[in-house]
Amino acid sequence: MGEQVAVRTRYFDEELLRAVAEGCEQVVLLASGMDARAYRLDWPGRTRVFEVDLAEVLAFKAAVLRNAEPACERVEVPTDLRLDWPRALREAGFAPGAPTAWLLEGILYALTPEAAHGLLDRVTSLSAPGSVAAFEHLPDNPALRTARTAISADMANLWLGGPEGEPDRWWGRHGWATQARDVREVAAAYGRPAPAAFDPARAGSGPGWVGTARLPRTE
Ligand SMILES: C[S@@+](CC[C@H](N)C(=O)[O-])C[C@H]1O[C@@H](n2cnc3c(N)ncnc32)[C@H](O)[C@@H]1O
């Protein structure tokens, strides 16, 4: 799991900075958790990074990072993704008319297919043409289950699968064009080993992807 997280971290860093360079001045980290990109990345001026997570998680993070300076305009959005979070996001200053770079990291696989599509519906309804969404797609497999169980019983039950099938198809259903890349291929491009749970040479492994979806600009 650690190897996969290392690969996705760099991939998402690069894709978010690319999206901002392409014109997305607002970034939304959905289920941001302890994501430190607002502090860590070299954002161009005027970038606003919205961090959406539960209030107690954001409060814990704010306490830990009280002496750190964000490298952008960082906006906390304490809300529950099961409730009316689009409203909370708009009230925090999000501009639905402007293109957005979204990050869905460490969240889709913890949702049922229906809940994941519900989340994508809401992301789509808030996205102006030219918006970008970086995501991962990690169908469960025996190696991942073994790794989770070794961490804790709660972790073992976390995987609900997310959307089913190829990412191109499920993003396509919401009108987005997708480029998904095999986790192994991205790891190799970074000079890293294939994460074990996604290495076909290992018993119990399965496929995994990181990818970027784009909502076409209208002419
Ligand atoms: C696996 S962590 C991912 C964190 C971060 N995106 C990353 O990859 O490092 C999942 C996050 O989802 C958040 N979360 C879980 N349920 C949520 C809910 N109903 N509403 C908002 N956030 C939620 C948790 O607080 C946690 O920070």
Side-chain angles (χ1 to χ4, degrees):
M1 289 177 81
E3 278 298 333
Q4 185 268 328
V5 169
V7 171
R8 81 179 188 193
T9 298
R10 176 166 166 190
Y11 176 83
F12 291 144
D13 285 359
E14 291 172 352
E15 290 301 287
L16 290 176
L17 288 176
R18 191 194 319 273
V20 169
E22 287 173 1
C24 298
E25 291 187 352
Q26 53 186 5
V27 177
V28 181
L29 310 176
L30 283 177
S32 56
M34 299 302 118
D35 188 314
R37 289 186 175 90
Y39 299 84
R40 194 166 59 66
L41 296 187
D42 190 12
W43 301 103
R46 302 210 314 273
T47 311
R48 286 180 121 185
V49 176
F50 295 89
E51 298 191 358
V52 181
D53 209 300
L54 299 169
E56 56 268 45
V57 174
L58 291 172
F60 171 80
K61 182 172 169 178
V64 172
L65 293 176
R66 63 190 172 281
N67 295 323
E69 276 296 318
C72 59
E73 186 185 342
R74 174 177 172 269
V75 183
E76 292 184 357
V77 188
T79 187
D80 188 316
L81 287 169
R82 292 165 295 190
L83 305 179
D84 190 1
W85 63 266
R87 181 174 165 180
L89 188 59
R90 282 193 301 269
E91 286 176 358
F94 174 84
T100 304
W102 298 90
L103 179 60
L104 297 117
E105 179 183 30
I107 182 68
L108 284 175
Y109 55 69
L111 302 175
T112 62
E114 298 71 33
H117 278 291
L119 187 70
L120 297 185
D121 274 339
R122 288 172 139 191
V123 165
T124 304
S125 71
L126 290 166
S127 292
S131 294
V132 171
F135 67 93
E136 65 196 327
H137 184 45
L138 307 173
D140 206 2
N141 68 46
L144 277 175
R145 272 196 293 280
T146 304
R148 290 203 302 283
T149 306
I151 296 170
S152 81
D154 286 343
M155 279 287 281
N157 298 324
L158 194 65
W159 237 263
L160 297 178
E164 286 163 336
E166 301 280 316
D168 296 14
R169 265 196 328 149
W170 44 265
W171 276 105
R173 193 173 132 184
H174 299 271
W176 299 66
T178 319
Q179 262 188 323
R181 293 176 64 194
D182 192 301
V183 168
R184 282 173 302 156
E185 173 206 314
V186 180
Y190 294 159
R192 300 189 71 96
F198 306 99
D199 179 354
R202 307 276 197 122
S205 66
W209 293 270
V210 286
T212 307
R214 288 191 158 72
L215 199 55
R217 288 180 191 277
T218 42
E219 295 307 321

